[in-house]
Amino acid sequence: MNSRGDSTRVVRPVLPGGGGSSPTSPLQVEECDVSVIQEVMERVHYSHSIFGVTTSVCYAVREHGIVVGGAIFGKPGAFNVSRKYDKGEPLLELRRFVLEDRLPRNSESRVLGVMLRSLRKRGIRRILSYADPSHGHTGVIYAATGFVRHGVTATRKHLMWKNKKYPDRNLHQTNFPFHLELRAAVAAGEAQHVVVPGKVIWLRTL
């Protein structure tokens, strides 16, 4: 019998009483600075980047002290998105969530459940997230942790450059470190516009 769900815990909660059960748990969840999980995010997440991701709360997932995953929760990038989904209650978006693929089945839903309970203790009442079908994600993990599906976003324009997709808006974002190179690549025909399907919208009330 897999007991990882009982042994996963927040080892450094912000609010008292947020810890879990066993001090010898193989997986531990702890609140952290984004720098702690940057390497695993850039290595494991399909975007291979956390550039431009708004950050309010971060969690690291450790196995025997080694960081094997993490999550970044932040305010949605667009104000109208918050207004549409917050229903007047504190809302955060799950901006990044990764675990190394070798971890046992159901690890994702178990550690995400720990994070959601921790966020509730912080006063957060709604969590918004998106599953990207273009990367094979439909939201199975979210369904398993109580999220409700709220449709699909519109299709999006991206740029393919050096075998990597970039949002079309990066062309005009001066804070994007490669925006001038990206513009030059488009002009030279080295970067091409592609249309990608919309993302599945998931919302969880805590």
Side-chain angles (χ1 to χ4, degrees):
M1 181 177 177
N2 190 336
S3 61
R4 296 179 78 88
D6 294 332
S7 59
T8 304
R9 64 192 183 109
V10 174
V11 296
R12 195 174 64 225
V14 173
L15 298 179
S21 53
S22 169
T24 59
S25 65
L27 282 186
Q28 295 178 333
V29 179
E30 64 179 18
E31 190 172 339
C32 68
D33 185 81
V34 68
S35 62
V36 174
I37 58 174
Q38 182 171 353
E39 187 277 333
V40 73
M41 287 286 173
E42 295 178 345
R43 174 167 51 87
V44 180
H45 194 268
Y46 62 79
S47 69
H48 302 295
S49 174
I50 60 172
F51 175 79
V53 175
T54 56
T55 302
S56 298
V57 185
C58 294
Y59 294 97
V61 181
R62 295 182 183 269
E63 182 184 45
H64 304 300
I66 305 299
V67 176
V68 294
I72 299 174
F73 293 84
K75 295 180 180 180
F79 172 75
N80 62 328
V81 172
S82 292
R83 186 170 56 184
K84 181 176 181 179
Y85 294 108
D86 65 16
K87 304 302 180 183
E89 298 180 307
L91 173 144
L92 289 179
E93 179 184 328
L94 177 53
R95 305 302 303 273
R96 293 284 191 275
F97 178 47
V98 297
L99 285 182
E100 292 185 353
D101 291 338
R102 63 177 179 79
L103 295 175
R105 184 180 180 182
N106 298 328
S107 293
E108 293 89 348
S109 58
R110 294 184 189 282
V111 299
L112 183 57
V114 173
M115 295 172 188
L116 296 178
R117 289 192 291 275
S118 174
L119 288 169
R120 178 174 173 78
K121 290 178 180 179
R122 295 177 63 99
I124 303 303
R125 290 295 175 263
R126 288 174 175 263
I127 300 295
L128 177 68
S129 193
Y130 299 90
D132 194 341
S134 66
H135 290 277
H137 303 157
T138 58
V140 173
I141 298 169
Y142 301 136
T145 48
F147 282 74
V148 176
R149 193 178 187 273
H150 280 258
V152 180
T153 65
T155 56
R156 298 159 289 148
K157 281 188 176 181
H158 277 59
L159 286 163
M160 285 298 302
W161 181 43
K162 297 180 179 180
N163 297 316
K164 187 174 179 181
K165 282 201 295 286
Y166 294 86
D168 188 65
R169 63 179 180 273
N170 286 163
L171 281 172
H172 313 289
Q173 291 177 318
T174 57
N175 64 332
F176 178 63
F178 309 115
H179 78 283
L180 294 178
E181 293 179 58
L182 190 56
R183 287 185 188 182
V186 170
E190 298 169 358
Q192 293 80 36
H193 280 95
V194 295
V195 176
V196 296
K199 296 181 180 181
V200 183
I201 306 164
W202 291 91
L203 184 68
R204 168 70 191 269
T205 299
L206 302 180

